[in-house]
Amino acid sequence: MQDYGNNCIFVEKKTEMKVKFVIIYALAGVAFLAVSLWAFLSNGRSAKAIRYKYKLGGIMLTAWAMLSAASCEGVPPFVTCYEPVVECYDVAAPSNEVYVEVKDYGGNKLKSGDVLTVRIDYPTYHNYRCRITADPSNGDAFVIQTHDFTVTESNSSVEITLVATDYKGSAKVTVCGIGMMQDGSEVESVVGTASVTIL
């Protein structure tokens, strides 16, 4: 059986504290008004009135803070009466994380005949399209090669052999998910890109 005796004593002490701080606040408020009137009537020339006004203002602020602390509910220890702000964010589930590297060599440099491994973690499409295009800064951004592939639960990667090409330099690998519209037409959504260099 739980003993509530100590909790009752705490509530009584808290009530006593509230009453004391209300009295202090009220008395400091009356004194503050009197000193404010004194400072007003002296046109702000009385340094003593201004000094007392600041001191009484500080006492009022302290009494107000202590009154607020004494008004807190709950079992001690607690710091303030305010509920902490808790913000919850739904972390987006990972999807369509694309990894591209040259098979056997690693890295991103390849030549015609080398195999490019494209892996998609957390796929959200069934069909994908991989497009290798020349870097537009080297001239025209023409398509070097396109490869469609299907992802299954057991296999989410594909190996693409780079076709024979005269192009040398940086290229872009773009992976798109392929969806179907209601009218049966395809729609591509880019899910990832990578840079490679063709030697």
Side-chain angles (χ1 to χ4, degrees):
M1 188 169 174
Q2 198 168 8
D3 179 22
Y4 294 100
N6 289 336
N7 200 21
C8 291
I9 292 169
F10 174 71
V11 170
E12 288 173 11
K13 286 187 177 181
K14 212 162 77 162
T15 306
E16 288 175 16
M17 287 172 54
K18 281 185 198 177
V19 172
K20 287 179 184 176
F21 288 124
V22 167
I23 292 170
I24 291 171
Y25 188 74
L27 292 175
V30 170
F32 182 79
L33 287 175
V35 171
S36 295
L37 181 63
W38 177 19
F40 177 75
L41 293 175
S42 70
N43 280 335
R45 292 190 187 127
S46 173
K48 202 181 266 190
I50 301 295
R51 188 169 53 249
Y52 285 140
K53 184 176 175 183
Y54 280 121
K55 285 183 179 179
L56 286 168
I59 290 171
M60 287 178 65
L61 288 173
T62 304
W64 184 259
M66 298 305 287
L67 180 63
S68 296
S71 299
C72 293
E73 297 298 327
V75 179
F78 46 78
V79 179
T80 67
C81 308
Y82 304 106
E83 290 294 325
V85 176
V86 177
E87 294 183 18
C88 297
Y89 298 100
D90 290 334
V91 178
S95 64
N96 296 310
E97 294 181 356
V98 177
Y99 300 93
V100 177
E101 73 173 355
V102 180
K103 185 179 180 184
D104 298 329
Y105 303 117
N108 65 346
K109 295 182 179 178
L110 73 161
K111 59 188 181 302
S112 296
D114 284 344
V115 176
L116 198 64
T117 303
V118 178
R119 188 181 86 237
I120 301 174
D121 290 348
Y122 313 108
T124 59
Y125 292 91
H126 187 63
N127 297 313
Y128 288 86
R129 179 168 292 141
C130 181
R131 188 175 289 114
I132 303 171
T133 55
D135 188 347
S137 63
N138 292 348
D140 293 332
F142 62 92
V143 176
I144 298 169
Q145 182 175 354
T146 301
H147 184 85
D148 290 357
F149 61 99
T150 301
V151 166
T152 62
E153 288 183 16
S154 59
N155 186 17
S156 64
S157 64
V158 65
E159 293 182 351
I160 303 168
T161 303
L162 183 64
V163 297
T165 178
D166 292 332
Y167 177 79
K168 305 287 188 246
S170 57
K172 185 177 180 182
V173 178
T174 305
V175 180
C176 301
I178 301 173
M180 298 298 280
M181 299 291 283
Q182 289 182 348
D183 61 1
S185 60
E186 285 185 354
V187 60
E188 290 185 0
S189 297
V190 176
V191 296
T193 59
S195 295
V196 294
T197 303
I198 299 175
L199 304 173

